[in-house]
mmCIF file with all atom_site columns, all heavy atoms in Angstrom:
data_model
loop_
_atom_site.group_PDB
_atom_site.id
_atom_site.type_symbol
_atom_site.label_atom_id
_atom_site.label_alt_id
_atom_site.label_comp_id
_atom_site.label_asym_id
_atom_site.label_entity_id
_atom_site.label_seq_id
_atom_site.pdbx_PDB_ins_code
_atom_site.Cartn_x
_atom_site.Cartn_y
_atom_site.Cartn_z
_atom_site.occupancy
_atom_site.B_iso_or_equiv
_atom_site.pdbx_formal_charge
_atom_site.auth_seq_id
_atom_site.auth_comp_id
_atom_site.auth_asym_id
_atom_site.auth_atom_id
_atom_site.pdbx_PDB_model_num
ATOM 1   N N   . ALA A 1 171 ? 30.610 -27.317 -5.663 1.00 81.00 ? 171 ALA A N   1
ATOM 2   C CA  . ALA A 1 171 ? 31.207 -28.423 -4.913 1.00 81.00 ? 171 ALA A CA  1
ATOM 3   C C   . ALA A 1 171 ? 30.196 -29.548 -4.738 1.00 81.00 ? 171 ALA A C   1
ATOM 4   O O   . ALA A 1 171 ? 28.994 -29.316 -4.565 1.00 81.00 ? 171 ALA A O   1
ATOM 5   C CB  . ALA A 1 171 ? 31.695 -27.926 -3.550 1.00 81.00 ? 171 ALA A CB  1
ATOM 6   N N   . GLY A 1 172 ? 30.686 -30.788 -4.773 1.00 79.00 ? 172 GLY A N   1
ATOM 7   C CA  . GLY A 1 172 ? 29.800 -31.944 -4.640 1.00 79.00 ? 172 GLY A CA  1
ATOM 8   C C   . GLY A 1 172 ? 28.956 -32.133 -5.886 1.00 79.00 ? 172 GLY A C   1
ATOM 9   O O   . GLY A 1 172 ? 29.360 -31.797 -7.008 1.00 79.00 ? 172 GLY A O   1
ATOM 10  N N   . PRO A 1 338 ? 23.957 -32.580 0.911  1.00 85.00 ? 338 PRO A N   1
ATOM 11  C CA  . PRO A 1 338 ? 25.298 -33.146 0.722  1.00 85.00 ? 338 PRO A CA  1
ATOM 12  C C   . PRO A 1 338 ? 25.677 -34.114 1.835  1.00 85.00 ? 338 PRO A C   1
ATOM 13  O O   . PRO A 1 338 ? 25.250 -33.971 2.985  1.00 85.00 ? 338 PRO A O   1
ATOM 14  C CB  . PRO A 1 338 ? 26.200 -31.902 0.734  1.00 85.00 ? 338 PRO A CB  1
ATOM 15  C CG  . PRO A 1 338 ? 25.434 -30.882 1.521  1.00 85.00 ? 338 PRO A CG  1
ATOM 16  C CD  . PRO A 1 338 ? 23.992 -31.148 1.243  1.00 85.00 ? 338 PRO A CD  1
ATOM 17  N N   . ASP A 1 339 ? 26.519 -35.116 1.474  1.00 83.00 ? 339 ASP A N   1
ATOM 18  C CA  . ASP A 1 339 ? 27.053 -36.023 2.483  1.00 83.00 ? 339 ASP A CA  1
ATOM 19  C C   . ASP A 1 339 ? 28.339 -35.431 3.059  1.00 83.00 ? 339 ASP A C   1
ATOM 20  O O   . ASP A 1 339 ? 28.691 -34.279 2.780  1.00 83.00 ? 339 ASP A O   1
ATOM 21  C CB  . ASP A 1 339 ? 27.296 -37.416 1.893  1.00 83.00 ? 339 ASP A CB  1
ATOM 22  C CG  . ASP A 1 339 ? 28.230 -37.374 0.693  1.00 83.00 ? 339 ASP A CG  1
ATOM 23  O OD1 . ASP A 1 339 ? 28.968 -36.382 0.527  1.00 83.00 ? 339 ASP A OD1 1
ATOM 24  O OD2 . ASP A 1 339 ? 28.227 -38.336 -0.104 1.00 83.00 ? 339 ASP A OD2 1
ATOM 25  N N   . THR A 1 340 ? 29.075 -36.226 3.846  1.00 82.00 ? 340 THR A N   1
ATOM 26  C CA  . THR A 1 340 ? 30.253 -35.706 4.549  1.00 82.00 ? 340 THR A CA  1
ATOM 27  C C   . THR A 1 340 ? 31.303 -35.184 3.585  1.00 82.00 ? 340 THR A C   1
ATOM 28  O O   . THR A 1 340 ? 31.829 -34.067 3.753  1.00 82.00 ? 340 THR A O   1
ATOM 29  C CB  . THR A 1 340 ? 30.863 -36.809 5.433  1.00 82.00 ? 340 THR A CB  1
ATOM 30  O OG1 . THR A 1 340 ? 29.858 -37.300 6.328  1.00 82.00 ? 340 THR A OG1 1
ATOM 31  C CG2 . THR A 1 340 ? 32.012 -36.251 6.256  1.00 82.00 ? 340 THR A CG2 1
ATOM 32  N N   . GLU A 1 341 ? 31.640 -35.960 2.563  1.00 84.00 ? 341 GLU A N   1
ATOM 33  C CA  . GLU A 1 341 ? 32.668 -35.537 1.611  1.00 84.00 ? 341 GLU A CA  1
ATOM 34  C C   . GLU A 1 341 ? 32.218 -34.298 0.838  1.00 84.00 ? 341 GLU A C   1
ATOM 35  O O   . GLU A 1 341 ? 33.025 -33.386 0.590  1.00 84.00 ? 341 GLU A O   1
ATOM 36  C CB  . GLU A 1 341 ? 32.990 -36.678 0.648  1.00 84.00 ? 341 GLU A CB  1
ATOM 37  C CG  . GLU A 1 341 ? 33.658 -37.877 1.316  1.00 84.00 ? 341 GLU A CG  1
ATOM 38  C CD  . GLU A 1 341 ? 34.000 -38.962 0.316  1.00 84.00 ? 341 GLU A CD  1
ATOM 39  O OE1 . GLU A 1 341 ? 33.698 -38.769 -0.883 1.00 84.00 ? 341 GLU A OE1 1
ATOM 40  O OE2 . GLU A 1 341 ? 34.559 -39.989 0.730  1.00 84.00 ? 341 GLU A OE2 1
ATOM 41  N N   . GLU A 1 342 ? 30.961 -34.248 0.456  1.00 85.00 ? 342 GLU A N   1
ATOM 42  C CA  . GLU A 1 342 ? 30.456 -33.082 -0.281 1.00 85.00 ? 342 GLU A CA  1
ATOM 43  C C   . GLU A 1 342 ? 30.434 -31.850 0.611  1.00 85.00 ? 342 GLU A C   1
ATOM 44  O O   . GLU A 1 342 ? 30.736 -30.741 0.158  1.00 85.00 ? 342 GLU A O   1
ATOM 45  C CB  . GLU A 1 342 ? 29.064 -33.386 -0.824 1.00 85.00 ? 342 GLU A CB  1
ATOM 46  C CG  . GLU A 1 342 ? 29.066 -34.423 -1.947 1.00 85.00 ? 342 GLU A CG  1
ATOM 47  C CD  . GLU A 1 342 ? 27.672 -34.828 -2.371 1.00 85.00 ? 342 GLU A CD  1
ATOM 48  O OE1 . GLU A 1 342 ? 26.748 -34.721 -1.533 1.00 85.00 ? 342 GLU A OE1 1
ATOM 49  O OE2 . GLU A 1 342 ? 27.495 -35.250 -3.520 1.00 85.00 ? 342 GLU A OE2 1
ATOM 50  N N   . ARG A 1 343 ? 30.081 -32.030 1.888  1.00 86.00 ? 343 ARG A N   1
ATOM 51  C CA  . ARG A 1 343 ? 30.101 -30.879 2.799  1.00 86.00 ? 343 ARG A CA  1
ATOM 52  C C   . ARG A 1 343 ? 31.515 -30.348 2.976  1.00 86.00 ? 343 ARG A C   1
ATOM 53  O O   . ARG A 1 343 ? 31.727 -29.130 3.052  1.00 86.00 ? 343 ARG A O   1
ATOM 54  C CB  . ARG A 1 343 ? 29.506 -31.274 4.156  1.00 86.00 ? 343 ARG A CB  1
ATOM 55  C CG  . ARG A 1 343 ? 28.000 -31.478 4.126  1.00 86.00 ? 343 ARG A CG  1
ATOM 56  C CD  . ARG A 1 343 ? 27.413 -31.446 5.525  1.00 86.00 ? 343 ARG A CD  1
ATOM 57  N NE  . ARG A 1 343 ? 27.950 -32.503 6.371  1.00 86.00 ? 343 ARG A NE  1
ATOM 58  C CZ  . ARG A 1 343 ? 27.459 -33.724 6.466  1.00 86.00 ? 343 ARG A CZ  1
ATOM 59  N NH1 . ARG A 1 343 ? 26.396 -34.056 5.732  1.00 86.00 ? 343 ARG A NH1 1
ATOM 60  N NH2 . ARG A 1 343 ? 27.991 -34.620 7.264  1.00 86.00 ? 343 ARG A NH2 1
ATOM 61  N N   . GLU A 1 344 ? 32.487 -31.235 3.041  1.00 86.00 ? 344 GLU A N   1
ATOM 62  C CA  . GLU A 1 344 ? 33.880 -30.787 3.152  1.00 86.00 ? 344 GLU A CA  1
ATOM 63  C C   . GLU A 1 344 ? 34.293 -29.988 1.918  1.00 86.00 ? 344 GLU A C   1
ATOM 64  O O   . GLU A 1 344 ? 34.944 -28.941 2.023  1.00 86.00 ? 344 GLU A O   1
ATOM 65  C CB  . GLU A 1 344 ? 34.808 -31.994 3.333  1.00 86.00 ? 344 GLU A CB  1
ATOM 66  C CG  . GLU A 1 344 ? 36.270 -31.609 3.525  1.00 86.00 ? 344 GLU A CG  1
ATOM 67  C CD  . GLU A 1 344 ? 37.174 -32.821 3.693  1.00 86.00 ? 344 GLU A CD  1
ATOM 68  O OE1 . GLU A 1 344 ? 36.651 -33.952 3.684  1.00 86.00 ? 344 GLU A OE1 1
ATOM 69  O OE2 . GLU A 1 344 ? 38.395 -32.630 3.824  1.00 86.00 ? 344 GLU A OE2 1
ATOM 70  N N   . ALA A 1 345 ? 33.891 -30.467 0.723  1.00 87.00 ? 345 ALA A N   1
ATOM 71  C CA  . ALA A 1 345 ? 34.212 -29.743 -0.511 1.00 87.00 ? 345 ALA A CA  1
ATOM 72  C C   . ALA A 1 345 ? 33.519 -28.379 -0.548 1.00 87.00 ? 345 ALA A C   1
ATOM 73  O O   . ALA A 1 345 ? 34.104 -27.383 -0.980 1.00 87.00 ? 345 ALA A O   1
ATOM 74  C CB  . ALA A 1 345 ? 33.807 -30.582 -1.720 1.00 87.00 ? 345 ALA A CB  1
ATOM 75  N N   . ILE A 1 346 ? 32.266 -28.329 -0.077 1.00 87.00 ? 346 ILE A N   1
ATOM 76  C CA  . ILE A 1 346 ? 31.538 -27.051 -0.047 1.00 87.00 ? 346 ILE A CA  1
ATOM 77  C C   . ILE A 1 346 ? 32.192 -26.086 0.929  1.00 87.00 ? 346 ILE A C   1
ATOM 78  O O   . ILE A 1 346 ? 32.345 -24.886 0.644  1.00 87.00 ? 346 ILE A O   1
ATOM 79  C CB  . ILE A 1 346 ? 30.064 -27.299 0.328  1.00 87.00 ? 346 ILE A CB  1
ATOM 80  C CG1 . ILE A 1 346 ? 29.359 -28.091 -0.775 1.00 87.00 ? 346 ILE A CG1 1
ATOM 81  C CG2 . ILE A 1 346 ? 29.327 -25.983 0.568  1.00 87.00 ? 346 ILE A CG2 1
ATOM 82  C CD1 . ILE A 1 346 ? 27.970 -28.568 -0.400 1.00 87.00 ? 346 ILE A CD1 1
ATOM 83  N N   . LEU A 1 347 ? 32.617 -26.586 2.083  1.00 88.00 ? 347 LEU A N   1
ATOM 84  C CA  . LEU A 1 347 ? 33.290 -25.738 3.066  1.00 88.00 ? 347 LEU A CA  1
ATOM 85  C C   . LEU A 1 347 ? 34.594 -25.174 2.502  1.00 88.00 ? 347 LEU A C   1
ATOM 86  O O   . LEU A 1 347 ? 34.950 -24.014 2.759  1.00 88.00 ? 347 LEU A O   1
ATOM 87  C CB  . LEU A 1 347 ? 33.566 -26.536 4.342  1.00 88.00 ? 347 LEU A CB  1
ATOM 88  C CG  . LEU A 1 347 ? 32.348 -26.841 5.222  1.00 88.00 ? 347 LEU A CG  1
ATOM 89  C CD1 . LEU A 1 347 ? 32.710 -27.841 6.311  1.00 88.00 ? 347 LEU A CD1 1
ATOM 90  C CD2 . LEU A 1 347 ? 31.809 -25.554 5.853  1.00 88.00 ? 347 LEU A CD2 1
ATOM 91  N N   . LYS A 1 348 ? 35.309 -25.976 1.712  1.00 87.00 ? 348 LYS A N   1
ATOM 92  C CA  . LYS A 1 348 ? 36.547 -25.484 1.106  1.00 87.00 ? 348 LYS A CA  1
ATOM 93  C C   . LYS A 1 348 ? 36.271 -24.352 0.125  1.00 87.00 ? 348 LYS A C   1
ATOM 94  O O   . LYS A 1 348 ? 37.044 -23.390 0.045  1.00 87.00 ? 348 LYS A O   1
ATOM 95  C CB  . LYS A 1 348 ? 37.270 -26.632 0.400  1.00 87.00 ? 348 LYS A CB  1
ATOM 96  C CG  . LYS A 1 348 ? 37.897 -27.649 1.350  1.00 87.00 ? 348 LYS A CG  1
ATOM 97  C CD  . LYS A 1 348 ? 38.583 -28.772 0.579  1.00 87.00 ? 348 LYS A CD  1
ATOM 98  C CE  . LYS A 1 348 ? 39.210 -29.779 1.536  1.00 87.00 ? 348 LYS A CE  1
ATOM 99  N NZ  . LYS A 1 348 ? 39.851 -30.910 0.823  1.00 87.00 ? 348 LYS A NZ  1
ATOM 100 N N   . VAL A 1 349 ? 35.169 -24.461 -0.622 1.00 86.00 ? 349 VAL A N   1
ATOM 101 C CA  . VAL A 1 349 ? 34.813 -23.396 -1.568 1.00 86.00 ? 349 VAL A CA  1
ATOM 102 C C   . VAL A 1 349 ? 34.522 -22.096 -0.826 1.00 86.00 ? 349 VAL A C   1
ATOM 103 O O   . VAL A 1 349 ? 35.000 -21.017 -1.205 1.00 86.00 ? 349 VAL A O   1
ATOM 104 C CB  . VAL A 1 349 ? 33.597 -23.820 -2.420 1.00 86.00 ? 349 VAL A CB  1
ATOM 105 C CG1 . VAL A 1 349 ? 33.065 -22.639 -3.222 1.00 86.00 ? 349 VAL A CG1 1
ATOM 106 C CG2 . VAL A 1 349 ? 33.971 -24.957 -3.345 1.00 86.00 ? 349 VAL A CG2 1
ATOM 107 N N   . HIS A 1 350 ? 33.753 -22.186 0.259  1.00 86.00 ? 350 HIS A N   1
ATOM 108 C CA  . HIS A 1 350 ? 33.368 -20.984 0.996  1.00 86.00 ? 350 HIS A CA  1
ATOM 109 C C   . HIS A 1 350 ? 34.469 -20.487 1.930  1.00 86.00 ? 350 HIS A C   1
ATOM 110 O O   . HIS A 1 350 ? 34.332 -19.399 2.506  1.00 86.00 ? 350 HIS A O   1
ATOM 111 C CB  . HIS A 1 350 ? 32.094 -21.257 1.802  1.00 86.00 ? 350 HIS A CB  1
ATOM 112 C CG  . HIS A 1 350 ? 30.897 -21.550 0.953  1.00 86.00 ? 350 HIS A CG  1
ATOM 113 N ND1 . HIS A 1 350 ? 30.465 -20.702 -0.038 1.00 86.00 ? 350 HIS A ND1 1
ATOM 114 C CD2 . HIS A 1 350 ? 30.046 -22.616 0.927  1.00 86.00 ? 350 HIS A CD2 1
ATOM 115 C CE1 . HIS A 1 350 ? 29.394 -21.206 -0.626 1.00 86.00 ? 350 HIS A CE1 1
ATOM 116 N NE2 . HIS A 1 350 ? 29.128 -22.371 -0.061 1.00 86.00 ? 350 HIS A NE2 1
ATOM 117 N N   . ALA A 1 351 ? 35.542 -21.261 2.096  1.00 86.00 ? 351 ALA A N   1
ATOM 118 C CA  . ALA A 1 351 ? 36.662 -20.833 2.946  1.00 86.00 ? 351 ALA A CA  1
ATOM 119 C C   . ALA A 1 351 ? 37.806 -20.223 2.134  1.00 86.00 ? 351 ALA A C   1
ATOM 120 O O   . ALA A 1 351 ? 38.824 -19.835 2.705  1.00 86.00 ? 351 ALA A O   1
ATOM 121 C CB  . ALA A 1 351 ? 37.180 -22.026 3.756  1.00 86.00 ? 351 ALA A CB  1
ATOM 122 N N   . ASN A 1 361 ? 39.946 -27.764 11.152 1.00 84.00 ? 361 ASN A N   1
ATOM 123 C CA  . ASN A 1 361 ? 39.909 -28.962 10.314 1.00 84.00 ? 361 ASN A CA  1
ATOM 124 C C   . ASN A 1 361 ? 38.524 -29.034 9.664  1.00 84.00 ? 361 ASN A C   1
ATOM 125 O O   . ASN A 1 361 ? 37.526 -29.327 10.323 1.00 84.00 ? 361 ASN A O   1
ATOM 126 C CB  . ASN A 1 361 ? 40.175 -30.205 11.172 1.00 84.00 ? 361 ASN A CB  1
ATOM 127 C CG  . ASN A 1 361 ? 40.383 -31.444 10.323 1.00 84.00 ? 361 ASN A CG  1
ATOM 128 O OD1 . ASN A 1 361 ? 39.805 -31.580 9.254  1.00 84.00 ? 361 ASN A OD1 1
ATOM 129 N ND2 . ASN A 1 361 ? 41.203 -32.348 10.814 1.00 84.00 ? 361 ASN A ND2 1
ATOM 130 N N   . LEU A 1 362 ? 38.469 -28.741 8.366  1.00 86.00 ? 362 LEU A N   1
ATOM 131 C CA  . LEU A 1 362 ? 37.185 -28.710 7.671  1.00 86.00 ? 362 LEU A CA  1
ATOM 132 C C   . LEU A 1 362 ? 36.525 -30.090 7.609  1.00 86.00 ? 362 LEU A C   1
ATOM 133 O O   . LEU A 1 362 ? 35.301 -30.194 7.574  1.00 86.00 ? 362 LEU A O   1
ATOM 134 C CB  . LEU A 1 362 ? 37.363 -28.155 6.259  1.00 86.00 ? 362 LEU A CB  1
ATOM 135 C CG  . LEU A 1 362 ? 37.823 -26.690 6.173  1.00 86.00 ? 362 LEU A CG  1
ATOM 136 C CD1 . LEU A 1 362 ? 37.975 -26.270 4.722  1.00 86.00 ? 362 LEU A CD1 1
ATOM 137 C CD2 . LEU A 1 362 ? 36.849 -25.768 6.893  1.00 86.00 ? 362 LEU A CD2 1
ATOM 138 N N   . LYS A 1 363 ? 37.342 -31.146 7.592  1.00 83.00 ? 363 LYS A N   1
ATOM 139 C CA  . LYS A 1 363 ? 36.774 -32.494 7.582  1.00 83.00 ? 363 LYS A CA  1
ATOM 140 C C   . LYS A 1 363 ? 36.008 -32.760 8.866  1.00 83.00 ? 363 LYS A C   1
ATOM 141 O O   . LYS A 1 363 ? 34.909 -33.331 8.849  1.00 83.00 ? 363 LYS A O   1
ATOM 142 C CB  . LYS A 1 363 ? 37.887 -33.524 7.398  1.00 83.00 ? 363 LYS A CB  1
ATOM 143 C CG  . LYS A 1 363 ? 37.371 -34.955 7.339  1.00 83.00 ? 363 LYS A CG  1
ATOM 144 C CD  . LYS A 1 363 ? 38.508 -35.941 7.100  1.00 83.00 ? 363 LYS A CD  1
ATOM 145 C CE  . LYS A 1 363 ? 37.974 -37.369 7.025  1.00 83.00 ? 363 LYS A CE  1
ATOM 146 N NZ  . LYS A 1 363 ? 39.065 -38.349 6.795  1.00 83.00 ? 363 LYS A NZ  1
ATOM 147 N N   . SER A 1 364 ? 36.588 -32.354 9.989  1.00 82.00 ? 364 SER A N   1
ATOM 148 C CA  . SER A 1 364 ? 35.912 -32.543 11.267 1.00 82.00 ? 364 SER A CA  1
ATOM 149 C C   . SER A 1 364 ? 34.622 -31.738 11.325 1.00 82.00 ? 364 SER A C   1
ATOM 150 O O   . SER A 1 364 ? 33.599 -32.207 11.831 1.00 82.00 ? 364 SER A O   1
ATOM 151 C CB  . SER A 1 364 ? 36.837 -32.127 12.411 1.00 82.00 ? 364 SER A CB  1
ATOM 152 O OG  . SER A 1 364 ? 36.173 -32.193 13.647 1.00 82.00 ? 364 SER A OG  1
ATOM 153 N N   . ILE A 1 365 ? 34.644 -30.526 10.770 1.00 85.00 ? 365 ILE A N   1
ATOM 154 C CA  . ILE A 1 365 ? 33.439 -29.692 10.757 1.00 85.00 ? 365 ILE A CA  1
ATOM 155 C C   . ILE A 1 365 ? 32.359 -30.334 9.900  1.00 85.00 ? 365 ILE A C   1
ATOM 156 O O   . ILE A 1 365 ? 31.182 -30.335 10.258 1.00 85.00 ? 365 ILE A O   1
ATOM 157 C CB  . ILE A 1 365 ? 33.785 -28.284 10.245 1.00 85.00 ? 365 ILE A CB  1
ATOM 158 C CG1 . ILE A 1 365 ? 34.769 -27.609 11.199 1.00 85.00 ? 365 ILE A CG1 1
ATOM 159 C CG2 . ILE A 1 365 ? 32.526 -27.436 10.093 1.00 85.00 ? 365 ILE A CG2 1
ATOM 160 C CD1 . ILE A 1 365 ? 35.338 -26.322 10.672 1.00 85.00 ? 365 ILE A CD1 1
ATOM 161 N N   . SER A 1 366 ? 32.763 -30.902 8.763  1.00 84.00 ? 366 SER A N   1
ATOM 162 C CA  . SER A 1 366 ? 31.777 -31.537 7.882  1.00 84.00 ? 366 SER A CA  1
ATOM 163 C C   . SER A 1 366 ? 31.115 -32.727 8.565  1.00 84.00 ? 366 SER A C   1
ATOM 164 O O   . SER A 1 366 ? 29.934 -33.010 8.322  1.00 84.00 ? 366 SER A O   1
ATOM 165 C CB  . SER A 1 366 ? 32.451 -31.978 6.580  1.00 84.00 ? 366 SER A CB  1
ATOM 166 O OG  . SER A 1 366 ? 33.364 -33.037 6.813  1.00 84.00 ? 366 SER A OG  1
ATOM 167 N N   . GLN A 1 367 ? 31.844 -33.428 9.426  1.00 80.00 ? 367 GLN A N   1
ATOM 168 C CA  . GLN A 1 367 ? 31.276 -34.573 10.136 1.00 80.00 ? 367 GLN A CA  1
ATOM 169 C C   . GLN A 1 367 ? 30.259 -34.138 11.186 1.00 80.00 ? 367 GLN A C   1
ATOM 170 O O   . GLN A 1 367 ? 29.358 -34.894 11.533 1.00 80.00 ? 367 GLN A O   1
ATOM 171 C CB  . GLN A 1 367 ? 32.393 -35.383 10.785 1.00 80.00 ? 367 GLN A CB  1
ATOM 172 C CG  . GLN A 1 367 ? 33.313 -36.071 9.781  1.00 80.00 ? 367 GLN A CG  1
ATOM 173 C CD  . GLN A 1 367 ? 34.521 -36.712 10.442 1.00 80.00 ? 367 GLN A CD  1
ATOM 174 O OE1 . GLN A 1 367 ? 34.826 -36.441 11.613 1.00 80.00 ? 367 GLN A OE1 1
ATOM 175 N NE2 . GLN A 1 367 ? 35.227 -37.558 9.704  1.00 80.00 ? 367 GLN A NE2 1
ATOM 176 N N   . THR A 1 369 ? 28.242 -31.474 10.901 1.00 82.00 ? 369 THR A N   1
ATOM 177 C CA  . THR A 1 369 ? 27.172 -30.649 10.318 1.00 82.00 ? 369 THR A CA  1
ATOM 178 C C   . THR A 1 369 ? 26.249 -31.490 9.448  1.00 82.00 ? 369 THR A C   1
ATOM 179 O O   . THR A 1 369 ? 25.874 -31.079 8.348  1.00 82.00 ? 369 THR A O   1
ATOM 180 C CB  . THR A 1 369 ? 27.777 -29.498 9.493  1.00 82.00 ? 369 THR A CB  1
ATOM 181 O OG1 . THR A 1 369 ? 28.742 -30.026 8.569  1.00 82.00 ? 369 THR A OG1 1
ATOM 182 C CG2 . THR A 1 369 ? 28.444 -28.472 10.383 1.00 82.00 ? 369 THR A CG2 1
ATOM 183 N N   . LEU A 1 377 ? 25.832 -24.171 4.946  1.00 88.00 ? 377 LEU A N   1
ATOM 184 C CA  . LEU A 1 377 ? 27.280 -24.170 5.161  1.00 88.00 ? 377 LEU A CA  1
ATOM 185 C C   . LEU A 1 377 ? 27.881 -22.810 4.814  1.00 88.00 ? 377 LEU A C   1
ATOM 186 O O   . LEU A 1 377 ? 28.804 -22.337 5.501  1.00 88.00 ? 377 LEU A O   1
ATOM 187 C CB  . LEU A 1 377 ? 27.931 -25.274 4.326  1.00 88.00 ? 377 LEU A CB  1
ATOM 188 C CG  . LEU A 1 377 ? 27.557 -26.704 4.728  1.00 88.00 ? 377 LEU A CG  1
ATOM 189 C CD1 . LEU A 1 377 ? 28.107 -27.703 3.722  1.00 88.00 ? 377 LEU A CD1 1
ATOM 190 C CD2 . LEU A 1 377 ? 28.080 -27.031 6.125  1.00 88.00 ? 377 LEU A CD2 1
#
Side-chain angles (χ1 to χ4, degrees):
D339 57 19
T340 304
E341 293 182 359
E342 290 174 334
R343 288 197 299 272
E344 183 180 359
I346 294 171
L347 287 170
K348 288 179 180 178
V349 170
H350 296 305
N361 190 328
L362 296 179
K363 182 178 181 180
S364 175
I365 297 171
S366 68
Q367 293 172 346
T369 51
L377 294 172

